[in-house]
Each structure stands twice: as C-alpha cells, then as structure tokens.
Amino acid sequence: MTETGSITTEQLCLWDKRHVWHPFTQMQDWERDEQIIIVKGEGCWLIDSEGGRYLDAVASMWTNVHGHCRPELNDALKEQVDRLEHSTLLGLGSEQSIILAARLAEITPHGLDRFFYSDNGSTAMEVAVKMAYQYQVHSGRPKRSRFITFRHAYHGDTLGAVSIGGIGIYHSTFKPLMFETILAPSPYCYRCELDYRKETCTMNCIDALEELMVQNAGSVAGVVIEPLLQGAGGMIVQPAGFLTRVRELCDRHDILMITDEVATGFGRTGAMFACQHEDVTPDIMAISKGIAAGYLPLAATVTGEKVYSAFLGAYSELKTFFHGHTFTGNPLACAVALKSLQLFEQDNLLAGVQSKIARLKAGLSDFSAMPHVGDVRQCGMAVGIELVADKESGSPYRWEEKTGIRVCLEARRRGVFSRPLGNTIVIFPPLVISNSELDLLLTVLQESIRIVTE
Ligand SMILES: *Cc1c(COP(=O)(O)O)cnc(C)c1O
C-alpha cells in the first residue's frame, strides 16, 4: 500500500520503468536505479509513496511559488472546475482569461498589455519569434528574419525554441533541423569567452553584441535574452546594467528586444519581473513557469501597441497572426493564476522574499570557501553553485563523472530534492520557503558537496 493509494510502490516503480519515458533522462540509468514516486505535496515538501519527505529545493522545475497544495489555490481550482473546465479562445471570449490578462497588465512593465496565451515556456517563445518576424514583415522589412541569441541561452525544447538556444549538449543533435541564429557571447563572467577578468572588464561582451548588430544590419528581427539570469545554462547571473545596455542597443539599431521571463518572472529575482530591476521594457516578453504557481501549464507572450497594431488590417491583407494552441487560455489555469496574484498581495510576498534573499546570501558565503566550489551565483531566490575539479584554474569536472548528479543524490538521501545543471548545483525553492527550511537546505547541500568532492 502506498501513502494514499491502493497500488504498491513496487508496482508503481515497475510500471514507471516499463511505460514512462522521462524528460532529459538516460532511461538506461533510470531503469537500473532505485526511483522515488511522489504522491503528495505539503508546503515546500514532497512526500513519496513510502512516506519519505523531501524539501523541494527546485520548486518542481522552477514553477512553485506558494508551496504545494496551498488551500486557497486548491479552492480556486475547485470552484472553477464546477463552473467551466475549458472553452476555446478561437472565436469565443472566456471569463478567467480576460480577468487574468487585465490583472497581469497592471503588473507587467508599463506598455506591455496585450497577452497572447499558450501552454508552456517553449510555446511562449515560439510565439515570440513568429510574432517578431511577422511584425517585421508587416513593417515592410521582410529581410529582417534573423535573431541574435546568447551562448548558454535556453528558451525551451520545441524546434524554434531550440534554434534560439545556445547550450551545445542539448541542442547540437538537432542542428540539421534548426534555423540559424547569430550567437552573441554570454555575460558569463566566471568563464568569460572574451578572456577578460573582473578587474579589466568594461562589459566588453556588450561591444561584441553591438558589432554583431552592425555586421548584420538590416537582417536582424530581434535580440532574445533571459533577463538578469541565464537559468538552464547554469544559473549565470549578468552584471548589473547589462540588460539596460541591451535595451539601448536594440533602440539604436531598431531591433526588437524579446525577453524570456519564463524562469525569472513572478517574484523569483525579488521583483515581479526581472526587467523591472533595471526599468527595462522589452518589446515582447514571454512568461510561464510561475504564472499559475506551479499548478497547471500556462504561458503568455506579452507585447504592446507597437507590435500589436502592426497586425491590424482588413482580413484580406492577411495580417492575422495565424498561430494558436488548443488549450489556450484554459480557465482552470487562469483561475489559479489569478488567485496566485491575489496571494502575492495578501501575503505581501515580494516584501517577505527580500529578507529570504538576504538570508540565502549570508548562508552562501560558507560555500565560496569550499575547495571545489568555483563560483557561487545568486539572483534573488535563484542560485547556482558551480563545482570545479580544480579551484585554482577553474578547470571543470569531466561531465562523465556526474559530480552534480552525485551531490544531488547525497542531498536526496538527506531529505532535500534538487536537480543540478551539469556540475552546477541549483537552489530555486518555492518563494514561501521558511527560514528554517532554507537553513536546512543549505546545510544539507553543503554536507553533500563535501561528501562527494572532498
Ligand atoms: C523552462 C524554460 C523555458 C521552457 O519552458 P517549458 O515550459 O519547459 O517549455 C523557456 N525559457 C526559460 C528561460 C526557461 O527556464
């Protein structure tokens, strides 16, 4: 018997290994190793079929905000399901999607008030890319068809999203299927591609970006950037002011600025949206992960009048944005998203997060001194701890050693679930994590790093 159901853990494991193909997972390892089956959630904790408890250090793939099974969110979902489970936005309006868009327009950067819904981060970015290009077409510049992206960027796993990505190990296999982009250097200061050191750097990667804009003048539709933080690339934190400079360059060269706030949105960085730290308003912004507090798949591509109005015209002009997904604007997801925004206010969550960011920062100072910690990067409630084979030279562990994975397995044995990015250990907890849970998380991760690397 499991914690809640009538099917034994043994049976669940058997069926899982026989039938479920897990994402980003070498299934040969998965089928061989012992696996955990989650059956319940409570606050920041996940509970397995044998009653084991794990602190959810990565907010269930960076989505959870207010904790698992939060009663107010559960009630909002239950209420909505008794009114309407789904109705299409193709040809009909739908109550919850309307209220949510109006509410989101109040909190997104000024001027961004047109919401194109979809279901996940990848689709939100696909929409952004197609929207940006079609905008250029409608503006009489069909040759502007290329995108500048950054090395180590991650924008999702559909083909368009993969094309604008910059992570070799995920993306190189699919190269023959991808469209070409212009790859700019990542502001990854610990491993600067341009070989600058912190002392001599004057944000030279921005100059490199401008050079690419000049070289490709007339052919670039947009620059695509994860603001402040490249997430899946290894929790790479940009130097302050970088985003502002990108905005300036986009203005100077008349290129659309597309920000991917899929990971950074909804309070993760300490502001509602990361671009608000630098008062930057992009032309197009993608939001997803935290939008429905980790409950249901939901996303939106947000833009303002400049882009939106370029799509207006007589039907025969064919300016329609021919794109859409079946479950667009799903009422259940929108109802939970609305309640989540209410909780942000009711709990004064953004204010509370500031002290947790400070506590996290203080706790992280112990990690920097560890002999195999090369770099510790924090952006609000998102952290990357990069483990290295040699601290002096910064030379990385060989990926085959699975150092990051082994550290996370040690942590799991001690009741903390995290998922690494290569050899970078990730901390990305639900925003409501308590001080004592945060302390526990740090203690366990430190101990786990020590056991594996020392
Ligand atoms: C997770 C993520 C995506 C992709 O979102 P999915 O919902 O997994 O498709 C896109 N961009 C960023 C920055 C992400 O972190």
Side-chain angles (χ1 to χ4, degrees):
M1 284 285 277
T2 61
E3 174 81 1
T4 52
S6 56
I7 298 171
T8 62
T9 299
E10 200 185 359
Q11 180 69 73
L12 288 172
C13 284
L14 207 75
W15 280 340
D16 181 67
K17 289 178 179 183
R18 189 171 297 162
H19 299 299
V20 182
W21 191 340
H22 288 257
F24 281 99
T25 301
Q26 176 42 257
M27 292 305 292
Q28 184 170 302
D29 293 347
W30 182 270
E31 289 184 28
R32 183 199 55 219
D33 296 341
E34 197 182 322
Q35 303 302 345
I36 284 167
I37 315 286
I38 298 301
V39 296
K40 261 172 79 169
E42 251 175 42
C44 295
W45 295 82
L46 295 166
I47 298 155
D48 75 15
S49 52
E50 297 290 305
R53 295 169 63 87
Y54 307 88
L55 186 56
D56 188 359
V58 282
S60 291
M61 214 48 242
W62 316 354
T63 60
N64 195 285
V65 177
H66 309 288
H68 293 282
C69 283
R70 175 86 185 235
E72 295 95 322
L73 294 172
N74 290 7
D75 290 343
L77 182 55
K78 288 175 200 165
E79 261 170 50
Q80 182 56 37
V81 80
D82 281 333
R83 287 163 58 78
L84 173 67
E85 79 303 330
H86 184 66
S87 158
T88 183
L89 293 196
L90 282 77
L92 292 170
S94 171
E95 184 187 22
Q96 298 299 332
S97 70
I98 297 168
I99 304 172
L100 178 61
R103 183 71 193 89
L104 284 170
E106 292 169 7
I107 59 169
T108 45
H110 183 68
L112 293 186
D113 50 11
R114 299 282 180 175
F115 293 81
F116 191 98
Y117 286 113
S118 64
D119 314 325
N120 57 67
S122 307
T123 55
M125 288 307 295
E126 295 277 345
V127 167
V129 163
K130 288 174 74 177
M131 190 183 272
Y133 174 62
Q134 197 175 335
Y135 163 81
Q136 299 292 1
V137 171
H138 294 334
S139 307
R141 300 183 293 192
K143 290 217 173 79
R144 287 186 168 254
S145 62
R146 304 171 74 199
F147 290 86
I148 297 180
T149 64
F150 292 88
R151 209 175 301 280
H152 305 301
Y154 178 80
H155 300 291
D157 289 326
T158 54
L159 282 175
V162 166
S163 296
I164 55 173
I167 304 178
I169 192 170
Y170 299 165
H171 299 152
S172 56
T173 310
F174 302 106
K175 211 161 178 128
L177 309 185
M178 287 151 59
F179 59 79
E180 272 192 29
T181 58
I182 302 159
L183 209 52
S186 160
Y188 184 3
C189 301
Y190 181 61
R191 298 189 185 283
C192 177
E193 299 173 42
L194 307 174
D195 273 336
Y196 284 93
R197 298 253 140 250
K198 275 213 172 91
E199 308 79 60
T200 53
C201 164
T202 53
M203 245 194 257
N204 309 73
C205 45
I206 276 289
D207 301 335
L209 175 65
E210 178 154 37
E211 215 170 288
L212 290 173
M213 289 177 171
V214 171
Q215 277 166 15
N216 297 283
S219 74
V220 179
V223 170
V224 186
I225 182 168
E226 292 161 86
L228 265 57
L229 173 76
Q230 289 187 305
M235 294 296 155
I236 299 165
V237 182
Q238 295 156 18
F242 185 80
L243 195 70
T244 307
R245 299 285 298 276
V246 173
R247 175 73 270 183
E248 286 165 7
L249 290 184
C250 286
D251 287 338
R252 189 179 308 158
H253 297 276
D254 194 16
I255 290 170
L256 292 176
M257 181 180 191
I258 302 167
T259 53
D260 178 349
E261 292 248 12
V262 169
T264 51
F266 299 94
R268 180 55 51 184
T269 64
M272 203 49 154
F273 299 100
C275 62
Q276 291 167 330
H277 285 284
E278 298 197 9
D279 269 326
V280 163
T281 302
D283 298 293
I284 300 175
M285 172 169 103
I287 51 178
S288 184
K289 288 196 170 100
I291 187 172
Y295 269 57
L296 287 159
L298 181 66
T301 306
V302 196
T303 193
E305 285 316 296
K306 175 171 121 176
V307 171
Y308 177 80
S309 61
F311 287 75
L312 302 179
Y315 187 74
S316 57
E317 287 181 78
L318 287 178
K319 286 186 168 178
T320 306
F321 189 38
F322 288 110
H323 186 107
H325 297 281
T326 308
F327 279 98
T328 286
N330 176 261
L332 300 174
C334 290
V336 174
L338 265 171
K339 180 56 79 176
S340 168
L341 292 180
Q342 256 178 39
L343 290 181
F344 264 97
E345 284 198 348
Q346 186 187 309
D347 297 352
N348 212 355
L349 189 56
L350 282 183
V353 159
Q354 309 309 322
S355 69
K356 280 174 215 165
I357 292 172
R359 194 179 184 95
L360 192 52
K361 181 158 188 245
L364 285 169
S365 61
D366 294 342
F367 286 73
S368 306
M370 297 177 77
H372 290 278
V373 170
D375 194 26
V376 179
R377 302 181 282 270
Q378 180 186 11
C379 181
M381 292 295 279
V383 172
I385 301 163
E386 184 168 337
L387 305 177
V388 290
D390 183 60
K391 190 163 175 138
E392 190 82 30
S393 65
S395 67
Y397 283 107
R398 285 181 302 115
W399 62 270
E400 304 93 311
E401 293 177 59
K402 300 204 274 188
T403 306
I405 293 175
R406 286 190 288 130
V407 168
C408 289
L409 273 176
E410 286 297 334
R412 200 171 87 176
R413 286 190 195 110
R414 290 164 178 76
V416 169
F417 175 75
S418 180
R419 171 138 178 128
L421 295 161
N423 291 322
T424 296
I425 306 303
V426 175
I427 304 175
F428 205 110
L431 297 185
V432 293
I433 190 167
S434 71
N435 285 339
S436 59
E437 286 165 339
L438 205 51
D439 294 347
L440 172 73
L441 197 166
L442 290 168
T443 306
V444 167
L445 283 183
Q446 200 175 0
E447 194 179 322
S448 305
I449 291 172
R450 188 167 293 132
I451 287 168
V452 171
T453 63
E454 290 174 28

